[in-house]
Amino acid sequence: MITYRLPCDWEISLPDHWQGEYDRKSGQCVFYPENSDLTIRITPFHAEKDGIPAPAEVMEKAYRNTIPASAMERDANPYHLNGFTVKRYENAWEENHRTVHVIDVGYYAAGELLSISIWGTSKAACENCLDLLQTLRFKR
């Protein structure tokens, strides 16, 4: 496993054969195994004003605004992280004669939001990636 340090004091560990890069334009950390259409996109946010963190409700609203109306909320309890509330959604659609599956998981607390999207054409592969969320760490 390789541990990646993400912006805003987050870390995640992923298998050695995965590649990782930071897309400065979108602010996303993008991870993927070679020779696969599976992708994990992670976007960390920190929000405060005059040194006071934004309320958790504001961070939740910011996360929910990124979720398509067609996504279905799912049980997120297995992916909890101490000090954070977690929400999980699933969605799928047809694109170029293939089904694209997306699992969105959001962790939020006062001033902090970590948005994770797992993309792939195999629902099982996307679900298996959820186990990697057990390696998430917030280092602040």
Side-chain angles (χ1 to χ4, degrees):
M1 298 284 271
I2 297 174
T3 299
Y4 292 91
R5 288 191 171 92
L6 311 175
C8 301
D9 299 319
W10 288 93
E11 289 183 355
I12 190 169
S13 296
L14 299 170
D16 294 337
H17 68 280
W18 282 57
Q19 302 297 310
E21 57 192 58
Y22 180 70
D23 182 348
R24 289 188 188 277
K25 194 173 194 177
S26 69
Q28 292 182 332
C29 301
V30 182
F31 302 97
Y32 51 92
E34 291 189 33
N35 302 317
S36 172
D37 66 1
L38 191 62
T39 305
I40 298 177
R41 297 177 175 277
I42 302 176
T43 310
F45 296 95
H46 175 78
E48 64 180 51
K49 184 175 181 180
D50 299 325
I52 299 170
E57 297 79 20
V58 169
M59 304 310 284
E60 177 186 13
K61 184 177 180 183
Y63 174 65
R64 287 184 184 244
N65 285 340
T66 68
I67 303 300
S70 59
M72 302 295 295
E73 189 167 358
R74 299 289 189 229
D75 179 23
N77 288 334
Y79 313 104
H80 76 279
L81 185 63
N82 287 338
F84 288 84
T85 301
V86 61
K87 297 284 185 186
R88 175 180 159 205
Y89 298 87
E90 292 184 13
N91 202 1
W93 62 87
E94 292 295 317
E95 188 173 290
N96 297 327
H97 307 291
R98 296 173 75 172
T99 302
V100 176
H101 299 274
V102 179
I103 299 174
D104 290 298
V105 182
Y107 294 89
Y108 59 90
E112 305 298 336
L113 171 59
L114 187 70
S115 178
I116 301 170
S117 292
I118 302 169
W119 294 66
T121 55
S122 166
K123 184 176 182 179
C126 290
E127 289 173 344
N128 287 339
C129 281
L130 289 170
D131 291 339
L132 298 171
L133 301 185
Q134 300 301 326
T135 69
L136 280 172
R137 300 287 176 261
F138 183 66
K139 304 302 263 181
R140 192 170 295 159

